[in-house]
CSV table of all heavy atoms in Angstrom, one decimal:
chain,number,residue,atom,x,y,z
A,264,ASN,N,2.4,-7.3,1.0
A,264,ASN,CA,2.1,-6.9,-0.4
A,264,ASN,C,1.6,-5.5,-0.5
A,264,ASN,O,1.9,-4.7,-1.4
A,264,ASN,CB,1.1,-7.8,-1.0
A,264,ASN,CG,1.7,-9.2,-1.4
A,264,ASN,OD1,2.9,-9.3,-1.6
A,264,ASN,ND2,0.8,-10.2,-1.4
A,265,ALA,N,0.9,-5.1,0.6
A,265,ALA,CA,0.4,-3.7,0.6
A,265,ALA,C,1.6,-2.7,0.8
A,265,ALA,O,1.6,-1.7,0.2
A,265,ALA,CB,-0.6,-3.5,1.8
A,266,ARG,N,2.6,-3.1,1.6
A,266,ARG,CA,3.8,-2.3,1.8
A,266,ARG,C,4.5,-2.2,0.5
A,266,ARG,O,5.0,-1.1,0.1
A,266,ARG,CB,4.7,-2.9,2.9
A,266,ARG,CG,4.1,-2.6,4.3
A,266,ARG,CD,5.0,-3.3,5.3
A,266,ARG,NE,4.5,-3.0,6.7
A,266,ARG,CZ,4.8,-3.8,7.7
A,266,ARG,NH1,5.4,-5.0,7.5
A,266,ARG,NH2,4.3,-3.5,8.9
A,267,ARG,N,4.6,-3.3,-0.2
A,267,ARG,CA,5.4,-3.2,-1.5
A,267,ARG,C,4.7,-2.3,-2.5
A,267,ARG,O,5.3,-1.5,-3.2
A,267,ARG,CB,5.4,-4.6,-2.1
A,267,ARG,CG,6.4,-5.6,-1.5
A,267,ARG,CD,6.6,-6.8,-2.2
A,267,ARG,NE,7.0,-6.6,-3.6
A,267,ARG,CZ,7.2,-7.5,-4.5
A,267,ARG,NH1,6.9,-8.8,-4.2
A,267,ARG,NH2,7.5,-7.2,-5.8
A,268,SER,N,3.4,-2.4,-2.6
A,268,SER,CA,2.6,-1.5,-3.5
A,268,SER,C,2.8,0.0,-3.1
A,268,SER,O,3.0,0.9,-3.9
A,268,SER,CB,1.1,-1.8,-3.5
A,268,SER,OG,0.9,-3.1,-4.0
A,269,PHE,N,2.8,0.2,-1.7
A,269,PHE,CA,3.0,1.6,-1.3
A,269,PHE,C,4.4,2.1,-1.6
A,269,PHE,O,4.5,3.3,-2.1
A,269,PHE,CB,2.8,1.7,0.2
A,269,PHE,CG,3.0,3.1,0.8
A,269,PHE,CD1,2.1,4.1,0.7
A,269,PHE,CD2,4.3,3.3,1.4
A,269,PHE,CE1,2.4,5.4,1.2
A,269,PHE,CE2,4.5,4.6,1.9
A,269,PHE,CZ,3.6,5.6,1.8
A,270,ASP,N,5.4,1.3,-1.4
A,270,ASP,CA,6.8,1.7,-1.8
A,270,ASP,C,6.9,2.0,-3.3
A,270,ASP,O,7.6,2.9,-3.7
A,270,ASP,CB,7.7,0.6,-1.4
A,270,ASP,CG,7.9,0.5,0.1
A,270,ASP,OD1,7.5,1.5,0.8
A,270,ASP,OD2,8.4,-0.6,0.6
A,271,GLU,N,6.2,1.2,-4.1
A,271,GLU,CA,6.2,1.4,-5.5
A,271,GLU,C,5.6,2.7,-5.9
A,271,GLU,O,6.0,3.5,-6.7
A,271,GLU,CB,5.5,0.3,-6.3
A,271,GLU,CG,6.2,-1.1,-6.3
A,271,GLU,CD,5.4,-2.2,-6.8
A,271,GLU,OE1,4.3,-1.9,-7.3
A,271,GLU,OE2,5.8,-3.3,-6.7
A,272,GLY,N,4.5,3.1,-5.2
A,272,GLY,CA,3.8,4.4,-5.3
A,272,GLY,C,4.8,5.5,-5.0
A,272,GLY,O,4.8,6.5,-5.7
A,273,GLU,N,5.5,5.4,-3.9
A,273,GLU,CA,6.4,6.4,-3.5
A,273,GLU,C,7.5,6.7,-4.5
A,273,GLU,O,7.9,7.8,-4.8
A,273,GLU,CB,7.0,6.1,-2.1
A,273,GLU,CG,6.0,6.2,-0.9
A,273,GLU,CD,5.7,7.7,-0.6
A,273,GLU,OE1,6.4,8.3,0.2
A,273,GLU,OE2,4.7,8.1,-1.2
A,274,ARG,N,8.1,5.5,-5.0
A,274,ARG,CA,9.1,5.7,-6.0
A,274,ARG,C,8.6,6.3,-7.3
A,274,ARG,O,9.2,7.2,-7.8
A,274,ARG,CB,9.7,4.3,-6.4
A,274,ARG,CG,10.7,3.7,-5.4
A,274,ARG,CD,11.5,2.6,-5.9
A,274,ARG,NE,10.6,1.4,-6.2
A,274,ARG,CZ,10.2,0.5,-5.4
A,274,ARG,NH1,10.7,0.6,-4.1
A,274,ARG,NH2,9.4,-0.5,-5.7
A,275,ALA,N,7.4,5.9,-7.7
A,275,ALA,CA,6.8,6.5,-8.9
A,275,ALA,C,6.5,8.0,-8.7
A,275,ALA,O,6.8,8.8,-9.6
A,275,ALA,CB,5.5,5.8,-9.3
A,276,ARG,N,6.1,8.4,-7.5
A,276,ARG,CA,5.8,9.8,-7.2
A,276,ARG,C,7.1,10.6,-7.3
A,276,ARG,O,7.1,11.7,-8.0
A,276,ARG,CB,5.2,9.9,-5.8
A,276,ARG,CG,4.9,11.4,-5.4
A,276,ARG,CD,4.4,11.5,-4.0
A,276,ARG,NE,5.4,11.0,-3.0
A,276,ARG,CZ,6.4,11.7,-2.5
A,276,ARG,NH1,6.6,12.9,-3.0
A,276,ARG,NH2,7.2,11.2,-1.6
A,277,VAL,N,8.1,10.2,-6.7
A,277,VAL,CA,9.4,10.9,-6.7
A,277,VAL,C,10.0,11.0,-8.1
A,277,VAL,O,10.6,12.0,-8.4
A,277,VAL,CB,10.4,10.2,-5.7
A,277,VAL,CG1,11.8,10.8,-5.9
A,277,VAL,CG2,9.9,10.3,-4.3
A,278,GLU,N,9.7,10.0,-8.9
A,278,GLU,CA,10.2,10.0,-10.3
A,278,GLU,C,9.3,10.6,-11.3
A,278,GLU,O,9.5,10.6,-12.5
A,278,GLU,CB,10.5,8.5,-10.7
A,278,GLU,CG,11.7,7.9,-9.9
A,278,GLU,CD,11.8,6.4,-10.1
A,278,GLU,OE1,11.0,5.9,-11.0
A,278,GLU,OE2,12.6,5.8,-9.5
A,279,GLY,N,8.2,11.2,-10.8
A,279,GLY,CA,7.3,12.0,-11.7
A,279,GLY,C,6.4,11.1,-12.5
A,279,GLY,O,5.7,11.6,-13.4
A,280,ARG,N,6.2,9.8,-12.1
A,280,ARG,CA,5.3,8.9,-12.9
A,280,ARG,C,3.9,8.9,-12.1
A,280,ARG,O,3.6,8.0,-11.4
A,280,ARG,CB,5.9,7.6,-13.0
A,280,ARG,CG,7.2,7.5,-13.8
A,280,ARG,CD,7.8,6.1,-13.9
A,280,ARG,NE,8.5,5.7,-12.7
A,280,ARG,CZ,8.1,4.7,-11.9
A,280,ARG,NH1,7.1,4.0,-12.1
A,280,ARG,NH2,8.9,4.5,-10.8
A,281,SER,N,3.2,10.0,-12.3
A,281,SER,CA,2.0,10.2,-11.5
A,281,SER,C,0.9,9.1,-11.7
A,281,SER,O,0.4,8.7,-10.7
A,281,SER,CB,1.4,11.6,-11.9
A,281,SER,OG,2.3,12.6,-11.7
A,282,ALA,N,0.7,8.7,-12.9
A,282,ALA,CA,-0.4,7.7,-13.1
A,282,ALA,C,0.0,6.4,-12.4
A,282,ALA,O,-0.8,5.7,-11.8
A,282,ALA,CB,-0.6,7.5,-14.6
A,283,GLU,N,1.3,6.0,-12.6
A,283,GLU,CA,1.7,4.8,-11.9
A,283,GLU,C,1.7,4.9,-10.4
A,283,GLU,O,1.3,3.9,-9.7
A,283,GLU,CB,3.1,4.4,-12.4
A,283,GLU,CG,3.2,4.1,-13.9
A,283,GLU,CD,4.7,3.9,-14.3
A,283,GLU,OE1,5.4,3.2,-13.6
A,283,GLU,OE2,5.1,4.5,-15.3
A,284,ALA,N,2.0,6.1,-9.9
A,284,ALA,CA,2.0,6.3,-8.5
A,284,ALA,C,0.5,6.1,-7.9
A,284,ALA,O,0.3,5.4,-6.9
A,284,ALA,CB,2.5,7.7,-8.1
A,285,GLN,N,-0.4,6.7,-8.6
A,285,GLN,CA,-1.8,6.7,-8.2
A,285,GLN,C,-2.3,5.2,-8.2
A,285,GLN,O,-3.0,4.8,-7.3
A,285,GLN,CB,-2.7,7.5,-9.1
A,285,GLN,CG,-2.4,9.0,-9.0
A,285,GLN,CD,-2.5,9.6,-7.6
A,285,GLN,OE1,-3.5,9.4,-7.0
A,285,GLN,NE2,-1.4,10.3,-7.2
A,286,ALA,N,-1.9,4.5,-9.2
A,286,ALA,CA,-2.4,3.1,-9.3
A,286,ALA,C,-1.7,2.2,-8.2
A,286,ALA,O,-2.4,1.4,-7.6
A,286,ALA,CB,-1.9,2.5,-10.7
A,287,ALA,N,-0.5,2.5,-7.9
A,287,ALA,CA,0.2,1.8,-6.8
A,287,ALA,C,-0.4,2.1,-5.4
A,287,ALA,O,-0.6,1.2,-4.6
A,287,ALA,CB,1.7,2.1,-6.8
A,288,TYR,N,-0.8,3.4,-5.2
A,288,TYR,CA,-1.4,3.8,-4.0
A,288,TYR,C,-2.8,3.1,-3.9
A,288,TYR,O,-3.2,2.6,-2.8
A,288,TYR,CB,-1.6,5.3,-3.9
A,288,TYR,CG,-0.3,6.0,-3.7
A,288,TYR,CD1,0.0,7.2,-4.4
A,288,TYR,CD2,0.6,5.6,-2.7
A,288,TYR,CE1,1.1,7.9,-4.2
A,288,TYR,CE2,1.8,6.3,-2.5
A,288,TYR,CZ,2.1,7.5,-3.3
A,288,TYR,OH,3.2,8.2,-3.1
A,289,ASP,N,-3.5,3.1,-5.0
A,289,ASP,CA,-4.8,2.4,-4.9
A,289,ASP,C,-4.7,0.9,-4.6
A,289,ASP,O,-5.5,0.4,-3.8
A,289,ASP,CB,-5.5,2.5,-6.3
A,289,ASP,CG,-6.1,3.9,-6.6
A,289,ASP,OD1,-6.3,4.6,-5.6
A,289,ASP,OD2,-6.3,4.2,-7.7
A,290,ASP,N,-3.6,0.3,-5.1
A,290,ASP,CA,-3.4,-1.1,-4.8
A,290,ASP,C,-3.0,-1.3,-3.3
A,290,ASP,O,-3.5,-2.2,-2.7
A,290,ASP,CB,-2.3,-1.7,-5.7
A,290,ASP,CG,-2.2,-3.2,-5.7
A,290,ASP,OD1,-3.3,-3.8,-5.8
A,290,ASP,OD2,-1.1,-3.7,-5.5
A,291,ALA,N,-2.2,-0.4,-2.8
A,291,ALA,CA,-1.9,-0.5,-1.4
A,291,ALA,C,-3.1,-0.3,-0.5
A,291,ALA,O,-3.2,-1.0,0.5
A,291,ALA,CB,-0.8,0.6,-1.1
A,292,ILE,N,-4.0,0.6,-0.9
A,292,ILE,CA,-5.2,0.8,-0.1
A,292,ILE,C,-6.1,-0.4,-0.1
A,292,ILE,O,-6.6,-0.8,1.0
A,292,ILE,CB,-6.0,2.0,-0.7
A,292,ILE,CG1,-5.3,3.3,-0.4
A,292,ILE,CG2,-7.4,2.1,-0.2
A,292,ILE,CD1,-5.8,4.5,-1.2
A,293,ARG,N,-6.2,-1.1,-1.3
A,293,ARG,CA,-7.0,-2.3,-1.3
A,293,ARG,C,-6.4,-3.4,-0.4
A,293,ARG,O,-7.1,-4.0,0.4
A,293,ARG,CB,-7.1,-2.8,-2.8
A,293,ARG,CG,-8.1,-2.0,-3.6
A,293,ARG,CD,-8.3,-2.8,-4.9
A,293,ARG,NE,-7.1,-2.9,-5.7
A,293,ARG,CZ,-6.7,-2.0,-6.6
A,293,ARG,NH1,-7.4,-0.9,-6.8
A,293,ARG,NH2,-5.6,-2.2,-7.3
A,294,LYS,N,-5.1,-3.6,-0.5
A,294,LYS,CA,-4.5,-4.6,0.2
A,294,LYS,C,-4.4,-4.4,1.7
A,294,LYS,O,-4.6,-5.3,2.5
A,294,LYS,CB,-3.1,-4.9,-0.4
A,294,LYS,CG,-3.1,-5.5,-1.8
A,294,LYS,CD,-1.8,-5.6,-2.4
A,294,LYS,CE,-1.9,-6.3,-3.8
A,294,LYS,NZ,-0.6,-6.3,-4.5
A,295,ALA,N,-4.1,-3.1,2.1
A,295,ALA,CA,-4.0,-2.8,3.5
A,295,ALA,C,-5.4,-2.9,4.1
A,295,ALA,O,-5.6,-3.3,5.3
A,295,ALA,CB,-3.5,-1.4,3.7
A,296,SER,N,-6.5,-2.5,3.4
A,296,SER,CA,-7.8,-2.6,3.9
A,296,SER,C,-8.2,-4.1,4.1
A,296,SER,O,-8.8,-4.4,5.1
A,296,SER,CB,-8.8,-1.9,2.9
A,296,SER,OG,-8.6,-0.6,2.8
A,297,ALA,N,-7.8,-4.9,3.1
A,297,ALA,CA,-8.1,-6.3,3.2
A,297,ALA,C,-7.4,-6.9,4.4
A,297,ALA,O,-7.9,-7.8,5.2
A,297,ALA,CB,-7.7,-7.0,1.9
A,298,SER,N,-6.1,-6.5,4.6
A,298,SER,CA,-5.4,-7.0,5.7
A,298,SER,C,-6.0,-6.6,7.1
A,298,SER,O,-6.1,-7.5,8.0
A,298,SER,CB,-3.9,-6.4,5.7
A,298,SER,OG,-3.2,-6.9,6.8
A,299,PHE,N,-6.5,-5.4,7.2
A,299,PHE,CA,-7.1,-5.0,8.4
A,299,PHE,C,-8.4,-5.7,8.6
A,299,PHE,O,-8.7,-6.2,9.8
A,299,PHE,CB,-7.4,-3.5,8.4
A,299,PHE,CG,-8.1,-3.0,9.6
A,299,PHE,CD1,-7.5,-2.8,10.8
A,299,PHE,CD2,-9.4,-2.6,9.5
A,299,PHE,CE1,-8.1,-2.4,11.9
A,299,PHE,CE2,-10.1,-2.1,10.6
A,299,PHE,CZ,-9.5,-2.0,11.8
A,300,ARG,N,-9.2,-5.9,7.6
A,300,ARG,CA,-10.5,-6.6,7.8
A,300,ARG,C,-10.4,-8.0,8.2
A,300,ARG,O,-11.2,-8.6,8.9
A,300,ARG,CB,-11.3,-6.5,6.5
A,300,ARG,CG,-11.9,-5.1,6.2
A,300,ARG,CD,-13.0,-5.2,5.1
A,300,ARG,NE,-12.4,-5.7,3.8
A,300,ARG,CZ,-11.9,-5.0,2.9
A,300,ARG,NH1,-11.8,-3.6,3.1
A,300,ARG,NH2,-11.4,-5.5,1.8
A,301,LYS,N,-9.2,-8.7,7.8
A,301,LYS,CA,-9.0,-10.1,8.2
A,301,LYS,C,-8.9,-10.3,9.7
A,301,LYS,O,-9.3,-11.3,10.2
A,301,LYS,CB,-7.8,-10.6,7.4
A,301,LYS,CG,-8.1,-10.9,6.0
A,301,LYS,CD,-6.8,-11.3,5.3
A,301,LYS,CE,-7.0,-11.5,3.8
A,301,LYS,NZ,-5.7,-11.8,3.1
A,302,ASP,N,-8.3,-9.3,10.3
A,302,ASP,CA,-8.1,-9.4,11.8
A,302,ASP,C,-8.0,-8.0,12.4
A,302,ASP,O,-6.9,-7.5,12.7
A,302,ASP,CB,-6.8,-10.1,12.0
A,302,ASP,CG,-6.6,-10.5,13.5
A,302,ASP,OD1,-7.6,-10.2,14.3
A,302,ASP,OD2,-5.6,-11.1,13.9
A,303,PRO,N,-9.2,-7.3,12.5
A,303,PRO,CA,-9.2,-5.9,13.0
A,303,PRO,C,-8.7,-5.8,14.4
A,303,PRO,O,-8.4,-4.6,14.8
A,303,PRO,CB,-10.7,-5.5,12.8
A,303,PRO,CG,-11.4,-6.8,12.8
A,303,PRO,CD,-10.5,-7.8,12.2
A,304,SER,N,-8.6,-6.8,15.2
A,304,SER,CA,-8.2,-6.7,16.6
A,304,SER,C,-6.8,-7.4,16.8
A,304,SER,O,-6.4,-7.6,17.9
A,304,SER,CB,-9.2,-7.3,17.5
A,304,SER,OG,-9.4,-8.7,17.2
A,305,GLY,N,-6.2,-7.8,15.7
A,305,GLY,CA,-4.9,-8.5,15.7
A,305,GLY,C,-3.7,-7.6,16.1
A,305,GLY,O,-3.9,-6.3,16.1
A,306,SER,N,-2.6,-8.2,16.3
A,306,SER,CA,-1.4,-7.4,16.7
A,306,SER,C,-0.8,-6.6,15.5
A,306,SER,O,0.0,-5.6,15.8
A,306,SER,CB,-0.3,-8.4,17.2
A,306,SER,OG,0.0,-9.3,16.2
A,307,TRP,N,-1.2,-6.8,14.3
A,307,TRP,CA,-0.7,-6.1,13.2
A,307,TRP,C,-1.8,-5.1,12.6
A,307,TRP,O,-1.5,-4.4,11.6
A,307,TRP,CB,-0.3,-7.0,12.0
A,307,TRP,CG,0.9,-7.9,12.4
A,307,TRP,CD1,0.8,-9.2,12.9
A,307,TRP,CD2,2.2,-7.6,12.4
A,307,TRP,NE1,2.0,-9.7,13.2
A,307,TRP,CE2,3.0,-8.7,12.8
A,307,TRP,CE3,3.0,-6.4,12.0
A,307,TRP,CZ2,4.4,-8.7,12.9
A,307,TRP,CZ3,4.3,-6.4,12.1
A,307,TRP,CH2,5.0,-7.6,12.5
A,308,ALA,N,-2.9,-5.0,13.3
A,308,ALA,CA,-3.9,-4.1,12.8
A,308,ALA,C,-3.5,-2.7,12.7
A,308,ALA,O,-3.9,-1.9,11.8
A,308,ALA,CB,-5.2,-4.3,13.6
A,309,ASP,N,-2.7,-2.2,13.8
A,309,ASP,CA,-2.3,-0.8,13.8
A,309,ASP,C,-1.3,-0.6,12.6
A,309,ASP,O,-1.4,0.5,12.0
A,309,ASP,CB,-1.6,-0.5,15.1
A,309,ASP,CG,-0.4,-1.5,15.5
A,309,ASP,OD1,-0.3,-2.5,14.8
A,309,ASP,OD2,0.3,-1.2,16.4
A,310,ASP,N,-0.5,-1.5,12.2
A,310,ASP,CA,0.4,-1.4,11.1
A,310,ASP,C,-0.4,-1.2,9.8
A,310,ASP,O,-0.1,-0.4,8.9
A,310,ASP,CB,1.3,-2.6,10.9
A,310,ASP,CG,2.4,-2.6,12.0
A,310,ASP,OD1,2.1,-3.1,13.1
A,310,ASP,OD2,3.5,-2.1,11.8
């Protein structure tokens, strides 16, 4: 889900939808942070 939000942010940035891009990046940050905190030593932590 974090990757999906990040991809949405990239699409919005390229299309000039700045506010939507910022919101999608924020969502990606929340989800990627949550993913890392769940297993900071796991095999997907680097991703």
Side-chain angles (χ1 to χ4, degrees):
N264 288 334
R266 284 175 179 155
R267 284 189 58 185
S268 294
F269 176 77
D270 290 342
E271 289 172 7
E273 289 288 274
R274 280 194 298 273
R276 176 185 64 81
V277 170
E278 294 170 5
R280 296 179 283 115
S281 300
E283 294 174 46
Q285 298 302 307
Y288 289 136
D289 284 342
D290 193 49
I292 289 168
R293 284 192 297 271
K294 290 172 178 174
S296 298
S298 177
F299 177 73
R300 286 195 301 270
K301 284 175 185 175
D302 191 0
S304 59
S306 58
W307 296 95
D309 55 350
D310 289 85

